[in-house]
Amino acid sequence: MKNEVFNQIANTIVEGDPSATVEGVRQALEMGWEPLDIINQGLVVGMNIISEQYSNGECFLPNLVIAARCMERSMQVLEPELKKRQQEVKSAGRVVIGTVQGDIHEIGKSLVGTMLAVNGFQVYDLGVNVSPEAFIAKIRETGAQLLGMSALLTTTMTVQREVIRQLEAEGMRDHIRVMVGGAPVTASWADEIGADGYAEDAVGAVGLAQRLMGLGG
Amino acid sequence: MSQLHLQVLEPFVIKQVVDEALQVLENPGVRVHHEGALDLLEAAGALVNRNTQVARIPAPLVEMALKTAPAQFLLYSLDGKPIITYGSNTTYFDPGSAAVTILDHATGRQRAPLTGDLVQFVKLVETLQHLDAQSTAFICQDVPPQMGDLYRLYVALNYMKKPIVTGAFTRAGWNVMWELLSVVAGSGERLEERPLAIFDICPSPPLLWSELTCQNLMDCAARRVPAELVSMPLAGVAAPVTLLGSVVQHTAENLSGLVIHQQTRAGAPIVWGGAPAVTDMRHGSTPMGDPATWLIDLATVEVGRYLGLPTHTYMGSTDGKMLDMQAGAESMGGVLLAILAGASMVSGVGMIDFLRCQSLEKLIVDAELIGYARRFGSGMTIREDTLGLDQLQTNPHQADFLERTHTRDWFAKELYLPSPVVDRGSLEQWEMAGGMAAHQRAHDLIPRLLKKYQPNGVPAEVRRELYAIVLRTARQWGLDHLPKLEEEENA
């Protein structure tokens, strides 16, 4: 019975039907299943299947993004339940991401967020045109271990350096790993501004985040 | 099925081509170096000069042949499934055949192909989804050349399931090949009902049916084994240099072949085909990857379709000697145009160096090019009531299409997803994978593809019978055993 409920939830993720996932999660809660079990034996199983299919070339970006949406919407239902029980989800790491101030390019950054979420990271996406102060406030609030900054313009790349400087000034730099990305950004730029790593694309960003968290990859 | 079409000849030009070809058949007529064929033609009303072996074929004879030749026929797989409908709207592809060399990946040079190379090639063709038929691709150099034709079919029959495009070099060769095919089919009648091979029949330009070619053509008709006419006007050398002049010659050669064939047995399946080429006036070579050659290719297909026959041409090869930009450009040009022309069967992929040499790596890349061309040729489809209005009014101004179910439902049909032979990853991924060119990736894919190969299910006793038939011929040429095939080596 238990297996059936959780398999059903996992299947809705593989099939890419967010409403069905949320419905399955609600039913499981009503039946008295523990939120952590629903996550680990249902949602995570589905995400792992999709993730593996993607690596094998058996499914594609739309499937991946829709699966992430299944996960995200389910977590909105589950988080209040976890709080009630004073429980937390074990994640691969907490990541704050955003596109830097003065820059409104969103797609690449969102894709990175999705890929990180699919791979078990807890992602706090601040959106676009994010000020250094907003990044710092969110890192403080969440206790994030990773920061990902996107910049698509040569004129806004420099803001990445500015954020790192402010992290240093606030005495936070030693507690957070910084990843940078975006079309004009290169590994040598990352070096130059004192970031911890650079990835070319969303897939690369996952590997980088895992390395920085010491998860191998 | 291709939706987009490219037409290179105006209807009035096609009519003039056919009209001139009919006049050519009456004057000067065609050379037929085969007494039996001349008898047939004479009895049917052609004017035959036995001294010059020239037959002048009147138009009504041609019209009769056009009436009796079928507009469509099927080729079957070894397990009896219909695979290819010659004369339908679908364009099918088979690799170029009868290569005398193979491009060795390790050295980048051509060498003599051996049995093992052909085995690997046949297996690869089985695994490549964009190749619809096999071809007897190599002439293996580890058996006497006199049995080169039937031996390659023998090897292929041990591994293939897809139907095969083949051809014979001698009359005796044709007979043995027919025997091999009927053993696999179960009987001669069964082979007639469900043909699994088609024979290429190549007249000699200009306007000559040699004794062997005639015999092959008549044998095919008599046994109802499908025949594919492969006329090869060489513009500027063995055909008029004007492209339309070469098309007239191609038409006359095909029409005369059609008459001999249908006179032998009315209603036997036959394909209007060719491997035309222009002449390179610097080197005297016959380029296949040439824009003028392509125009002749397309024009001959249009003439064949106008006459209501299944069509064939030779495209998708390169004249270069290595797998470089020239190879890619010439092959893509040929494959894409062949799709847009809507030929029934297109031979040629995998080949380099004027159809002299086959390459396993090129075959894999070319199969991908066919995928590109097929996607392009299938054009754009109206999927829903509105083209984009609904989607643009739903959750407007958001770049969230990647997560819409609309995207999930349609992307696999709308977009083309290439195999890993195509590089579409990031610079970093490309560097991590070894920084390779497409043909190197193709080479690395070979073991992965071969792993997907499934044996063709031909029973052991049938294999033994095939072996015995071929050994009988081999002994005539001083060979007392055949090179071992793979399974025997492993056993």
Side-chain angles (χ1 to χ4, degrees), chain A residues 42-72:
Chain A
L43 297 173
V44 171
V45 171
M47 294 304 279
N48 285 344
I49 294 172
I50 280 287
S51 182
E52 196 182 320
Q53 285 183 352
Y54 178 75
S55 331
N56 295 338
E58 292 157 7
C59 82
F60 303 91
L61 286 176
N63 312 93
L64 209 57
V65 174
I66 291 169
R69 202 57 64 218
C70 294
M71 184 80 183
E72 187 187 299

Side-chain angles (χ1 to χ4, degrees), chain B residues 56-79:
Chain B
R56 293 167 172 242
I57 302 172
L61 256 185
V62 175
E63 280 153 24
M64 200 156 55
L66 284 168
K67 272 194 196 118
T68 55
Q72 280 199 1
F73 65 89
L74 294 167
L75 281 191
Y76 292 81
S77 62
L78 248 67
D79 51 354

Side-chain angles (χ1 to χ4, degrees), chain B residues 250-270:
Chain B
H250 177 281
T251 305
E253 287 175 351
N254 265 260
L255 286 176
S256 53
L258 182 74
V259 169
I260 297 169
H261 185 260
Q262 293 297 303
Q263 279 298 324
T264 307
R265 185 164 171 185
I270 186 162

Side-chain angles (χ1 to χ4, degrees), chain A residues 15-17 60-63 65-66 69 107 111 200-201 203-204, chain B residues 398-399 401-405 407-408 411 417 425-429:
Chain A
E15 282 157 18
D17 188 346
F60 303 91
L61 286 176
N63 312 93
V65 174
I66 291 169
R69 202 57 64 218
I107 297 166
L111 206 51
E200 256 187 339
D201 57 17
V203 177
Chain B
Q398 298 302 310
F401 293 95
L402 210 41
E403 65 183 78
R404 293 189 185 187
T405 50
T407 306
R408 182 199 62 189
F411 82 93
L417 294 162
S426 66
L427 175 64
E428 196 175 68
Q429 288 166 340

